[in-house]
Every structure is written in C-alpha cells, then in structure tokens.
Amino acid sequence: FHIHFFHYHSYGASLKRKLEDRVCSRGGWHSGGFPCHGKAAFFYGSPGVFSKALTGGSIAHAMVIAWPMSCGGTGTIIELAYGCSIEHQIRGDYKPNMR
C-alpha cells in the first residue's frame, strides 16, 4: 500500500483530459480505453477517495488515482487501474529502458 502525491506532466495532463472528456458530464463508472484495463468516475467536491473508489468494485490489486480540481475545478475524478502501474508515466519520470 503506497500513497503518493505529485504534480503530473505531459502524459498525466493528457490522461486527465481524456478522463474529463469521458466522465465529467456523465454519472457512474466508465471504462474502455483507459490504462491498465481501468475505469473512472467523477465526484463533486473533495470526496473520501477510498470510499468512492470502493463504489467501483474491489480495489484489491488496483492502483487508485485521484485527480482533484477536475471538470472545471468542480470535483475529483477517481481512476482505478488494474495489473500495472502508471505512476511514473503520470509523474513524468518513466524510463522504459530501466524496466
């Protein structure tokens, strides 16, 4: 179990835009085309991240990503990613030759 807080870079900014395009104007969890067979949902304000993540199903073996100040600053996107880690891509320090 790890908790990280960091600023995102180009991949992270691109992913956040993609998530916003899919979830900002729609309720519930959405999947398809997200990294790591993931899914995402939008919640107004600053919700309890893990409580809301659990509404998407099991978070065992999942990466839980919170995108605050989403959808025009009105809330938070919670993203679940399964079976892989994208934190280094989001953070901007991914080095594929080091894998």
Side-chain angles (χ1 to χ4, degrees), residues 31-90:
S31 59
F34 298 139
C36 307
H37 310 287
K39 57 186 166 182
F42 172 74
F43 300 94
Y44 285 100
S46 298
V49 171
F50 291 103
S51 296
K52 294 298 185 185
L54 286 168
T55 68
S58 174
I59 61 172
H61 308 289
M63 182 175 193
V64 178
I65 306 159
W67 298 92
M69 298 302 295
S70 294
C71 305
T74 60
T76 302
I77 293 174
I78 309 289
E79 179 184 5
L80 303 177
Y82 300 94
C84 68
S85 174
I86 59 172
E87 85 180 63
H88 292 282
Q89 291 99 313
I90 294 170

Side-chain angles (χ1 to χ4, degrees), residues 23-36:
V23 305
C24 286
S25 60
R26 300 178 189 102
W29 288 90
H30 302 273
S31 59
F34 298 139
C36 307

